[in-house]
Amino acid sequence: MNSLVVGIAITLSAFIALLWRHHLQCLRHCEVDNREVGSNAFSPSSVDFKIPAALSIALIFVCTTLYSQLGRFSEWDKAVVDESIDYLIAADINRNARRAREQPTNEIALLNLAQSYAEGGLYADSVNTLDELLALTGVDAEILGMKANALYYRDGREMSLAVTLVLKRALAIDEYEYQSRLLLATHAYLHGEYEHAIEQWQLLLMSDNQGFNRELINNAILKAEQNISNRSVTTTE
């Protein structure tokens, strides 16, 4: 069972148990007080458990409803990608598109628009916007790296001729261009070409770029090396 569900269930159970314990303690105090004053108004048979029972049911209902909506309980055990554009990303696209229309020569506006298109899965639009940006900036390794990634995902994660040509242009300008090398490494890894993936990651580590997490790259190399070792063991057997 999902650990999050277990944690919520335990916390909810503990809270309900404390609620009932408090209610029962109040009942005992009332019974003692009534006995001291000699009143028979209170007896165990007249104990009303409707209030704590109603509170418990309401609490369980509210928590379950909220989790089903916010926690997507129906998909808790499914690795399903939500392909719909999040409304925040859609708003970001609209905002950046409006700014790009108002300022068609603003390089930052075009860059932000291309990035928001990519985040929303609109890779063809991202490619077109990056082409507009390249027309303003001229050949730029980083923008070409972004374009290669957008082309790659537009073409269904295929290392097509268009992707290869753009990657070559980017790496001819900067052999350590981060997005280009990372794309080559990722594609190689996903296709079991672990040696080639390691080569690309090692080239990234040789660069002076401090804008990426080197620990993650090192962990990726270790994982690829482990896969190579496992493959060798399987082959010898």
Side-chain angles (χ1 to χ4, degrees):
M1 183 178 290
N2 186 280
S3 58
L4 178 60
V5 177
V6 174
I8 293 175
I10 292 174
T11 304
L12 187 59
S13 300
F15 188 83
I16 291 174
L18 289 174
L19 176 66
W20 278 89
R21 179 184 177 186
H22 177 73
H23 181 72
L24 292 174
Q25 286 177 341
C26 289
L27 292 179
R28 292 193 189 98
H29 288 311
C30 290
E31 183 178 7
V32 171
D33 291 341
N34 283 325
R35 286 176 179 174
E36 289 178 352
V37 298
S39 173
N40 294 323
F42 182 89
S43 65
S45 59
S46 63
V47 175
D48 189 357
F49 293 106
K50 292 182 179 179
I51 294 178
L55 288 175
S56 300
I57 294 172
L59 187 61
I60 293 173
F61 176 77
V62 170
C63 291
T64 304
T65 302
L66 286 175
Y67 185 71
S68 65
Q69 296 299 318
L70 301 179
R72 300 185 68 83
F73 180 78
S74 60
E75 299 177 9
W76 71 272
D77 61 344
K78 300 177 183 178
V80 178
V81 178
D82 185 359
E83 296 180 352
S84 60
I85 300 178
D86 184 270
Y87 73 96
L88 291 176
I89 297 178
D92 193 45
I93 290 173
N94 292 332
R95 181 174 59 253
N96 289 325
R98 182 173 62 253
R99 187 173 302 169
R101 286 194 302 269
E102 295 171 351
Q103 306 174 37
T105 59
N106 187 325
E107 297 175 7
I108 300 300
L110 288 172
L111 180 62
N112 290 337
L113 179 58
Q115 290 175 331
S116 60
Y117 275 142
E119 290 175 0
L122 303 176
Y123 300 111
D125 292 316
S126 181
V127 171
N128 293 335
T129 305
L130 289 170
D131 282 336
E132 294 179 31
L133 182 58
L134 286 167
L136 293 175
T137 63
V139 180
D140 181 278
E142 185 176 351
I143 297 175
L144 287 171
M146 291 178 61
K147 181 180 177 180
N149 276 270
L151 284 169
Y152 178 78
Y153 288 104
R154 185 201 67 180
D155 296 344
R157 300 188 180 186
E158 292 291 333
M159 193 60 68
S160 63
L161 178 60
V163 177
T164 302
L165 290 175
V166 175
L167 285 173
K168 286 183 177 180
R169 289 181 64 194
L171 295 174
I173 300 169
D174 180 4
E175 65 174 321
Y176 300 119
E177 202 286 307
Y178 173 72
Q179 295 187 79
S180 300
R181 290 293 178 193
L182 188 62
L183 176 59
L184 288 170
T186 302
H187 180 78
Y189 183 88
L190 291 176
H191 288 77
E193 301 171 4
Y194 303 121
E195 293 85 355
H196 185 54
I198 291 172
E199 178 185 347
Q200 300 300 322
W201 284 322
Q202 287 176 337
L203 284 169
L204 278 178
L205 294 175
M206 291 170 58
S207 71
D208 296 327
N209 184 0
Q210 299 299 320
F212 62 91
N213 192 323
R214 292 176 175 266
E215 183 179 355
L216 289 178
I217 300 297
N218 282 317
N219 289 339
I221 291 174
L222 290 174
K223 188 173 181 179
E225 290 175 341
Q226 183 62 49
N227 288 336
I228 293 173
S229 299
N230 293 340
R231 185 171 59 189
S232 299
V233 171
T234 303
T235 303
T236 56
E237 291 178 352

PDB file of all heavy atoms in Angstrom, residues 92-123:
ATOM      1  N   ASP A  92       0.767  31.087 -18.550  1.00  0.00           N
ATOM      2  CA  ASP A  92       2.122  31.560 -18.819  1.00  0.00           C
ATOM      3  C   ASP A  92       2.358  31.692 -20.321  1.00  0.00           C
ATOM      4  O   ASP A  92       2.968  32.661 -20.788  1.00  0.00           O
ATOM      5  CB  ASP A  92       3.135  30.586 -18.200  1.00  0.00           C
ATOM      6  CG  ASP A  92       4.541  31.154 -18.168  1.00  0.00           C
ATOM      7  OD1 ASP A  92       4.693  32.325 -17.783  1.00  0.00           O
ATOM      8  OD2 ASP A  92       5.488  30.434 -18.537  1.00  0.00           O
ATOM      9  N   ILE A  93       1.857  30.714 -21.089  1.00  0.00           N
ATOM     10  CA  ILE A  93       1.988  30.771 -22.546  1.00  0.00           C
ATOM     11  C   ILE A  93       1.262  31.997 -23.097  1.00  0.00           C
ATOM     12  O   ILE A  93       1.805  32.744 -23.924  1.00  0.00           O
ATOM     13  CB  ILE A  93       1.440  29.485 -23.193  1.00  0.00           C
ATOM     14  CG1 ILE A  93       2.354  28.298 -22.876  1.00  0.00           C
ATOM     15  CG2 ILE A  93       1.308  29.650 -24.705  1.00  0.00           C
ATOM     16  CD1 ILE A  93       1.809  26.964 -23.334  1.00  0.00           C
ATOM     17  N   ASN A  94       0.046  32.210 -22.636  1.00  0.00           N
ATOM     18  CA  ASN A  94      -0.738  33.345 -23.118  1.00  0.00           C
ATOM     19  C   ASN A  94      -0.066  34.672 -22.782  1.00  0.00           C
ATOM     20  O   ASN A  94      -0.029  35.594 -23.617  1.00  0.00           O
ATOM     21  CB  ASN A  94      -2.148  33.316 -22.523  1.00  0.00           C
ATOM     22  CG  ASN A  94      -2.975  32.155 -23.050  1.00  0.00           C
ATOM     23  OD1 ASN A  94      -2.752  31.688 -24.160  1.00  0.00           O
ATOM     24  ND2 ASN A  94      -3.911  31.672 -22.251  1.00  0.00           N
ATOM     25  N   ARG A  95       0.465  34.762 -21.582  1.00  0.00           N
ATOM     26  CA  ARG A  95       1.135  35.996 -21.164  1.00  0.00           C
ATOM     27  C   ARG A  95       2.386  36.255 -22.009  1.00  0.00           C
ATOM     28  O   ARG A  95       2.608  37.375 -22.488  1.00  0.00           O
ATOM     29  CB  ARG A  95       1.511  35.917 -19.683  1.00  0.00           C
ATOM     30  CG  ARG A  95       2.195  37.171 -19.153  1.00  0.00           C
ATOM     31  CD  ARG A  95       2.404  37.100 -17.653  1.00  0.00           C
ATOM     32  NE  ARG A  95       3.207  35.951 -17.259  1.00  0.00           N
ATOM     33  CZ  ARG A  95       2.729  34.878 -16.669  1.00  0.00           C
ATOM     34  NH1 ARG A  95       1.436  34.765 -16.429  1.00  0.00           N
ATOM     35  NH2 ARG A  95       3.516  33.880 -16.327  1.00  0.00           N
ATOM     36  N   ASN A  96       3.188  35.207 -22.203  1.00  0.00           N
ATOM     37  CA  ASN A  96       4.416  35.372 -22.985  1.00  0.00           C
ATOM     38  C   ASN A  96       4.120  35.610 -24.469  1.00  0.00           C
ATOM     39  O   ASN A  96       4.849  36.346 -25.147  1.00  0.00           O
ATOM     40  CB  ASN A  96       5.306  34.142 -22.817  1.00  0.00           C
ATOM     41  CG  ASN A  96       5.911  34.055 -21.425  1.00  0.00           C
ATOM     42  OD1 ASN A  96       6.241  35.070 -20.819  1.00  0.00           O
ATOM     43  ND2 ASN A  96       6.071  32.845 -20.909  1.00  0.00           N
ATOM     44  N   ALA A  97       3.054  34.967 -24.968  1.00  0.00           N
ATOM     45  CA  ALA A  97       2.674  35.176 -26.371  1.00  0.00           C
ATOM     46  C   ALA A  97       2.234  36.619 -26.600  1.00  0.00           C
ATOM     47  O   ALA A  97       2.582  37.231 -27.625  1.00  0.00           O
ATOM     48  CB  ALA A  97       1.564  34.207 -26.766  1.00  0.00           C
ATOM     49  N   ARG A  98       1.479  37.159 -25.663  1.00  0.00           N
ATOM     50  CA  ARG A  98       1.040  38.550 -25.784  1.00  0.00           C
ATOM     51  C   ARG A  98       2.234  39.498 -25.745  1.00  0.00           C
ATOM     52  O   ARG A  98       2.317  40.452 -26.538  1.00  0.00           O
ATOM     53  CB  ARG A  98       0.071  38.874 -24.652  1.00  0.00           C
ATOM     54  CG  ARG A  98      -0.486  40.295 -24.731  1.00  0.00           C
ATOM     55  CD  ARG A  98      -1.570  40.527 -23.685  1.00  0.00           C
ATOM     56  NE  ARG A  98      -1.070  40.382 -22.322  1.00  0.00           N
ATOM     57  CZ  ARG A  98      -1.346  39.348 -21.545  1.00  0.00           C
ATOM     58  NH1 ARG A  98      -2.095  38.352 -21.979  1.00  0.00           N
ATOM     59  NH2 ARG A  98      -0.864  39.300 -20.316  1.00  0.00           N
ATOM     60  N   ARG A  99       3.183  39.213 -24.859  1.00  0.00           N
ATOM     61  CA  ARG A  99       4.370  40.068 -24.765  1.00  0.00           C
ATOM     62  C   ARG A  99       5.214  39.981 -26.033  1.00  0.00           C
ATOM     63  O   ARG A  99       5.754  40.983 -26.499  1.00  0.00           O
ATOM     64  CB  ARG A  99       5.203  39.641 -23.553  1.00  0.00           C
ATOM     65  CG  ARG A  99       6.384  40.548 -23.233  1.00  0.00           C
ATOM     66  CD  ARG A  99       7.019  40.125 -21.927  1.00  0.00           C
ATOM     67  NE  ARG A  99       6.059  40.168 -20.840  1.00  0.00           N
ATOM     68  CZ  ARG A  99       6.279  39.656 -19.640  1.00  0.00           C
ATOM     69  NH1 ARG A  99       7.426  39.024 -19.387  1.00  0.00           N
ATOM     70  NH2 ARG A  99       5.356  39.740 -18.699  1.00  0.00           N
ATOM     71  N   ALA A 100       5.305  38.770 -26.605  1.00  0.00           N
ATOM     72  CA  ALA A 100       6.075  38.604 -27.834  1.00  0.00           C
ATOM     73  C   ALA A 100       5.418  39.324 -29.006  1.00  0.00           C
ATOM     74  O   ALA A 100       6.099  39.863 -29.886  1.00  0.00           O
ATOM     75  CB  ALA A 100       6.248  37.118 -28.152  1.00  0.00           C
ATOM     76  N   ARG A 101       4.075  39.338 -29.026  1.00  0.00           N
ATOM     77  CA  ARG A 101       3.363  40.068 -30.091  1.00  0.00           C
ATOM     78  C   ARG A 101       3.580  41.573 -29.952  1.00  0.00           C
ATOM     79  O   ARG A 101       3.750  42.282 -30.949  1.00  0.00           O
ATOM     80  CB  ARG A 101       1.876  39.739 -30.052  1.00  0.00           C
ATOM     81  CG  ARG A 101       1.517  38.361 -30.579  1.00  0.00           C
ATOM     82  CD  ARG A 101       0.024  38.250 -30.833  1.00  0.00           C
ATOM     83  NE  ARG A 101      -0.749  38.523 -29.633  1.00  0.00           N
ATOM     84  CZ  ARG A 101      -1.132  37.602 -28.753  1.00  0.00           C
ATOM     85  NH1 ARG A 101      -0.786  36.333 -28.945  1.00  0.00           N
ATOM     86  NH2 ARG A 101      -1.847  37.928 -27.687  1.00  0.00           N
ATOM     87  N   GLU A 102       3.558  42.027 -28.716  1.00  0.00           N
ATOM     88  CA  GLU A 102       3.738  43.458 -28.477  1.00  0.00           C
ATOM     89  C   GLU A 102       5.183  43.897 -28.715  1.00  0.00           C
ATOM     90  O   GLU A 102       5.419  45.048 -29.116  1.00  0.00           O
ATOM     91  CB  GLU A 102       3.321  43.794 -27.043  1.00  0.00           C
ATOM     92  CG  GLU A 102       1.837  43.574 -26.765  1.00  0.00           C
ATOM     93  CD  GLU A 102       1.502  43.703 -25.294  1.00  0.00           C
ATOM     94  OE1 GLU A 102       2.454  43.786 -24.477  1.00  0.00           O
ATOM     95  OE2 GLU A 102       0.301  43.703 -24.950  1.00  0.00           O
ATOM     96  N   GLN A 103       6.125  42.979 -28.470  1.00  0.00           N
ATOM     97  CA  GLN A 103       7.548  43.309 -28.628  1.00  0.00           C
ATOM     98  C   GLN A 103       8.221  42.218 -29.462  1.00  0.00           C
ATOM     99  O   GLN A 103       8.963  41.383 -28.940  1.00  0.00           O
ATOM    100  CB  GLN A 103       8.219  43.417 -27.257  1.00  0.00           C
ATOM    101  CG  GLN A 103       7.542  44.380 -26.305  1.00  0.00           C
ATOM    102  CD  GLN A 103       8.158  44.340 -24.912  1.00  0.00           C
ATOM    103  OE1 GLN A 103       9.367  44.189 -24.740  1.00  0.00           O
ATOM    104  NE2 GLN A 103       7.311  44.476 -23.904  1.00  0.00           N
ATOM    105  N   PRO A 104       7.972  42.184 -30.760  1.00  0.00           N
ATOM    106  CA  PRO A 104       8.468  41.101 -31.613  1.00  0.00           C
ATOM    107  C   PRO A 104       9.985  41.020 -31.727  1.00  0.00           C
ATOM    108  O   PRO A 104      10.507  39.993 -32.149  1.00  0.00           O
ATOM    109  CB  PRO A 104       7.825  41.401 -32.975  1.00  0.00           C
ATOM    110  CG  PRO A 104       7.520  42.861 -32.931  1.00  0.00           C
ATOM    111  CD  PRO A 104       7.169  43.163 -31.512  1.00  0.00           C
ATOM    112  N   THR A 105      10.690  42.075 -31.339  1.00  0.00           N
ATOM    113  CA  THR A 105      12.161  42.053 -31.397  1.00  0.00           C
ATOM    114  C   THR A 105      12.783  41.878 -30.011  1.00  0.00           C
ATOM    115  O   THR A 105      13.997  42.000 -29.865  1.00  0.00           O
ATOM    116  CB  THR A 105      12.692  43.348 -32.040  1.00  0.00           C
ATOM    117  OG1 THR A 105      12.254  44.477 -31.262  1.00  0.00           O
ATOM    118  CG2 THR A 105      12.202  43.483 -33.469  1.00  0.00           C
ATOM    119  N   ASN A 106      11.943  41.585 -29.033  1.00  0.00           N
ATOM    120  CA  ASN A 106      12.439  41.382 -27.668  1.00  0.00           C
ATOM    121  C   ASN A 106      12.906  39.931 -27.522  1.00  0.00           C
ATOM    122  O   ASN A 106      12.105  38.996 -27.505  1.00  0.00           O
ATOM    123  CB  ASN A 106      11.325  41.690 -26.659  1.00  0.00           C
ATOM    124  CG  ASN A 106      11.819  41.663 -25.217  1.00  0.00           C
ATOM    125  OD1 ASN A 106      12.681  40.863 -24.856  1.00  0.00           O
ATOM    126  ND2 ASN A 106      11.269  42.533 -24.392  1.00  0.00           N
ATOM    127  N   GLU A 107      14.211  39.750 -27.414  1.00  0.00           N
ATOM    128  CA  GLU A 107      14.779  38.400 -27.369  1.00  0.00           C
ATOM    129  C   GLU A 107      14.348  37.641 -26.112  1.00  0.00           C
ATOM    130  O   GLU A 107      14.083  36.434 -26.167  1.00  0.00           O
ATOM    131  CB  GLU A 107      16.302  38.475 -27.447  1.00  0.00           C
ATOM    132  CG  GLU A 107      16.819  39.076 -28.749  1.00  0.00           C
ATOM    133  CD  GLU A 107      18.321  39.257 -28.758  1.00  0.00           C
ATOM    134  OE1 GLU A 107      18.980  38.797 -27.793  1.00  0.00           O
ATOM    135  OE2 GLU A 107      18.844  39.850 -29.720  1.00  0.00           O
ATOM    136  N   ILE A 108      14.270  38.332 -24.985  1.00  0.00           N
ATOM    137  CA  ILE A 108      13.866  37.687 -23.732  1.00  0.00           C
ATOM    138  C   ILE A 108      12.422  37.208 -23.829  1.00  0.00           C
ATOM    139  O   ILE A 108      12.083  36.109 -23.367  1.00  0.00           O
ATOM    140  CB  ILE A 108      14.037  38.651 -22.542  1.00  0.00           C
ATOM    141  CG1 ILE A 108      15.497  39.089 -22.406  1.00  0.00           C
ATOM    142  CG2 ILE A 108      13.559  37.985 -21.255  1.00  0.00           C
ATOM    143  CD1 ILE A 108      16.458  37.950 -22.165  1.00  0.00           C
ATOM    144  N   ALA A 109      11.571  38.019 -24.451  1.00  0.00           N
ATOM    145  CA  ALA A 109      10.160  37.641 -24.593  1.00  0.00           C
ATOM    146  C   ALA A 109      10.026  36.383 -25.449  1.00  0.00           C
ATOM    147  O   ALA A 109       9.247  35.478 -25.125  1.00  0.00           O
ATOM    148  CB  ALA A 109       9.369  38.795 -25.203  1.00  0.00           C
ATOM    149  N   LEU A 110      10.783  36.325 -26.537  1.00  0.00           N
ATOM    150  CA  LEU A 110      10.735  35.141 -27.402  1.00  0.00           C
ATOM    151  C   LEU A 110      11.298  33.915 -26.693  1.00  0.00           C
ATOM    152  O   LEU A 110      10.767  32.808 -26.833  1.00  0.00           O
ATOM    153  CB  LEU A 110      11.504  35.409 -28.695  1.00  0.00           C
ATOM    154  CG  LEU A 110      10.843  36.381 -29.681  1.00  0.00           C
ATOM    155  CD1 LEU A 110      11.803  36.704 -30.820  1.00  0.00           C
ATOM    156  CD2 LEU A 110       9.549  35.784 -30.235  1.00  0.00           C
ATOM    157  N   LEU A 111      12.371  34.101 -25.940  1.00  0.00           N
ATOM    158  CA  LEU A 111      12.965  32.984 -25.206  1.00  0.00           C
ATOM    159  C   LEU A 111      11.982  32.437 -24.176  1.00  0.00           C
ATOM    160  O   LEU A 111      11.801  31.218 -24.058  1.00  0.00           O
ATOM    161  CB  LEU A 111      14.248  33.445 -24.522  1.00  0.00           C
ATOM    162  CG  LEU A 111      14.997  32.389 -23.697  1.00  0.00           C
ATOM    163  CD1 LEU A 111      15.456  31.237 -24.576  1.00  0.00           C
ATOM    164  CD2 LEU A 111      16.191  33.013 -22.977  1.00  0.00           C
ATOM    165  N   ASN A 112      11.335  33.329 -23.438  1.00  0.00           N
ATOM    166  CA  ASN A 112      10.354  32.890 -22.436  1.00  0.00           C
ATOM    167  C   ASN A 112       9.180  32.172 -23.091  1.00  0.00           C
ATOM    168  O   ASN A 112       8.666  31.187 -22.559  1.00  0.00           O
ATOM    169  CB  ASN A 112       9.848  34.093 -21.639  1.00  0.00           C
ATOM    170  CG  ASN A 112      10.905  34.668 -20.711  1.00  0.00           C
ATOM    171  OD1 ASN A 112      11.845  33.984 -20.327  1.00  0.00           O
ATOM    172  ND2 ASN A 112      10.750  35.929 -20.359  1.00  0.00           N
ATOM    173  N   LEU A 113       8.766  32.662 -24.247  1.00  0.00           N
ATOM    174  CA  LEU A 113       7.654  32.026 -24.955  1.00  0.00           C
ATOM    175  C   LEU A 113       8.042  30.626 -25.421  1.00  0.00           C
ATOM    176  O   LEU A 113       7.254  29.670 -25.279  1.00  0.00           O
ATOM    177  CB  LEU A 113       7.231  32.883 -26.149  1.00  0.00           C
ATOM    178  CG  LEU A 113       6.091  32.330 -27.012  1.00  0.00           C
ATOM    179  CD1 LEU A 113       4.836  32.096 -26.171  1.00  0.00           C
ATOM    180  CD2 LEU A 113       5.789  33.273 -28.179  1.00  0.00           C
ATOM    181  N   ALA A 114       9.245  30.487 -25.967  1.00  0.00           N
ATOM    182  CA  ALA A 114       9.709  29.173 -26.422  1.00  0.00           C
ATOM    183  C   ALA A 114       9.782  28.189 -25.262  1.00  0.00           C
ATOM    184  O   ALA A 114       9.388  27.018 -25.390  1.00  0.00           O
ATOM    185  CB  ALA A 114      11.075  29.307 -27.090  1.00  0.00           C
ATOM    186  N   GLN A 115      10.263  28.653 -24.123  1.00  0.00           N
ATOM    187  CA  GLN A 115      10.366  27.784 -22.946  1.00  0.00           C
ATOM    188  C   GLN A 115       8.980  27.382 -22.428  1.00  0.00           C
ATOM    189  O   GLN A 115       8.769  26.229 -22.047  1.00  0.00           O
ATOM    190  CB  GLN A 115      11.158  28.493 -21.850  1.00  0.00           C
ATOM    191  CG  GLN A 115      12.641  28.645 -22.168  1.00  0.00           C
ATOM    192  CD  GLN A 115      13.387  29.447 -21.118  1.00  0.00           C
ATOM    193  OE1 GLN A 115      12.814  30.321 -20.458  1.00  0.00           O
ATOM    194  NE2 GLN A 115      14.675  29.175 -20.959  1.00  0.00           N
ATOM    195  N   SER A 116       8.048  28.320 -22.413  1.00  0.00           N
ATOM    196  CA  SER A 116       6.701  27.990 -21.935  1.00  0.00           C
ATOM    197  C   SER A 116       5.987  27.045 -22.888  1.00  0.00           C
ATOM    198  O   SER A 116       5.242  26.158 -22.454  1.00  0.00           O
ATOM    199  CB  SER A 116       5.881  29.269 -21.728  1.00  0.00           C
ATOM    200  OG  SER A 116       5.755  30.004 -22.928  1.00  0.00           O
ATOM    201  N   TYR A 117       6.220  27.197 -24.193  1.00  0.00           N
ATOM    202  CA  TYR A 117       5.665  26.243 -25.157  1.00  0.00           C
ATOM    203  C   TYR A 117       6.196  24.831 -24.867  1.00  0.00           C
ATOM    204  O   TYR A 117       5.433  23.852 -24.881  1.00  0.00           O
ATOM    205  CB  TYR A 117       6.044  26.643 -26.579  1.00  0.00           C
ATOM    206  CG  TYR A 117       5.123  27.648 -27.228  1.00  0.00           C
ATOM    207  CD1 TYR A 117       5.630  28.654 -28.057  1.00  0.00           C
ATOM    208  CD2 TYR A 117       3.744  27.597 -27.047  1.00  0.00           C
ATOM    209  CE1 TYR A 117       4.790  29.592 -28.670  1.00  0.00           C
ATOM    210  CE2 TYR A 117       2.900  28.520 -27.649  1.00  0.00           C
ATOM    211  CZ  TYR A 117       3.429  29.514 -28.459  1.00  0.00           C
ATOM    212  OH  TYR A 117       2.599  30.423 -29.064  1.00  0.00           O
ATOM    213  N   ALA A 118       7.496  24.728 -24.634  1.00  0.00           N
ATOM    214  CA  ALA A 118       8.108  23.421 -24.369  1.00  0.00           C
ATOM    215  C   ALA A 118       7.555  22.812 -23.082  1.00  0.00           C
ATOM    216  O   ALA A 118       7.274  21.609 -23.018  1.00  0.00           O
ATOM    217  CB  ALA A 118       9.622  23.552 -24.289  1.00  0.00           C
ATOM    218  N   GLU A 119       7.383  23.634 -22.044  1.00  0.00           N
ATOM    219  CA  GLU A 119       6.836  23.143 -20.783  1.00  0.00           C
ATOM    220  C   GLU A 119       5.405  22.634 -20.959  1.00  0.00           C
ATOM    221  O   GLU A 119       4.983  21.711 -20.266  1.00  0.00           O
ATOM    222  CB  GLU A 119       6.870  24.264 -19.742  1.00  0.00           C
ATOM    223  CG  GLU A 119       8.276  24.616 -19.270  1.00  0.00           C
ATOM    224  CD  GLU A 119       8.280  25.812 -18.342  1.00  0.00           C
ATOM    225  OE1 GLU A 119       7.179  26.358 -18.068  1.00  0.00           O
ATOM    226  OE2 GLU A 119       9.364  26.217 -17.904  1.00  0.00           O
ATOM    227  N   GLY A 120       4.675  23.239 -21.902  1.00  0.00           N
ATOM    228  CA  GLY A 120       3.314  22.806 -22.156  1.00  0.00           C
ATOM    229  C   GLY A 120       3.210  21.696 -23.174  1.00  0.00           C
ATOM    230  O   GLY A 120       2.106  21.271 -23.515  1.00  0.00           O
ATOM    231  N   GLY A 121       4.339  21.192 -23.666  1.00  0.00           N
ATOM    232  CA  GLY A 121       4.330  20.105 -24.632  1.00  0.00           C
ATOM    233  C   GLY A 121       4.044  20.551 -26.056  1.00  0.00           C
ATOM    234  O   GLY A 121       3.843  19.710 -26.938  1.00  0.00           O
ATOM    235  N   LEU A 122       4.052  21.854 -26.298  1.00  0.00           N
ATOM    236  CA  LEU A 122       3.796  22.389 -27.648  1.00  0.00           C
ATOM    237  C   LEU A 122       5.142  22.594 -28.348  1.00  0.00           C
ATOM    238  O   LEU A 122       5.583  23.720 -28.592  1.00  0.00           O
ATOM    239  CB  LEU A 122       3.013  23.704 -27.553  1.00  0.00           C
ATOM    240  CG  LEU A 122       1.680  23.615 -26.802  1.00  0.00           C
ATOM    241  CD1 LEU A 122       1.033  24.984 -26.681  1.00  0.00           C
ATOM    242  CD2 LEU A 122       0.732  22.637 -27.506  1.00  0.00           C
ATOM    243  N   TYR A 123       5.773  21.475 -28.683  1.00  0.00           N
ATOM    244  CA  TYR A 123       7.164  21.524 -29.162  1.00  0.00           C
ATOM    245  C   TYR A 123       7.286  22.153 -30.550  1.00  0.00           C
ATOM    246  O   TYR A 123       8.277  22.832 -30.834  1.00  0.00           O
ATOM    247  CB  TYR A 123       7.751  20.116 -29.146  1.00  0.00           C
ATOM    248  CG  TYR A 123       7.758  19.512 -27.770  1.00  0.00           C
ATOM    249  CD1 TYR A 123       6.920  18.446 -27.434  1.00  0.00           C
ATOM    250  CD2 TYR A 123       8.584  20.019 -26.775  1.00  0.00           C
ATOM    251  CE1 TYR A 123       6.914  17.910 -26.163  1.00  0.00           C
ATOM    252  CE2 TYR A 123       8.584  19.485 -25.498  1.00  0.00           C
ATOM    253  CZ  TYR A 123       7.746  18.424 -25.198  1.00  0.00           C
ATOM    254  OH  TYR A 123       7.746  17.910 -23.930  1.00  0.00           O
TER     255      TYR A 123
END
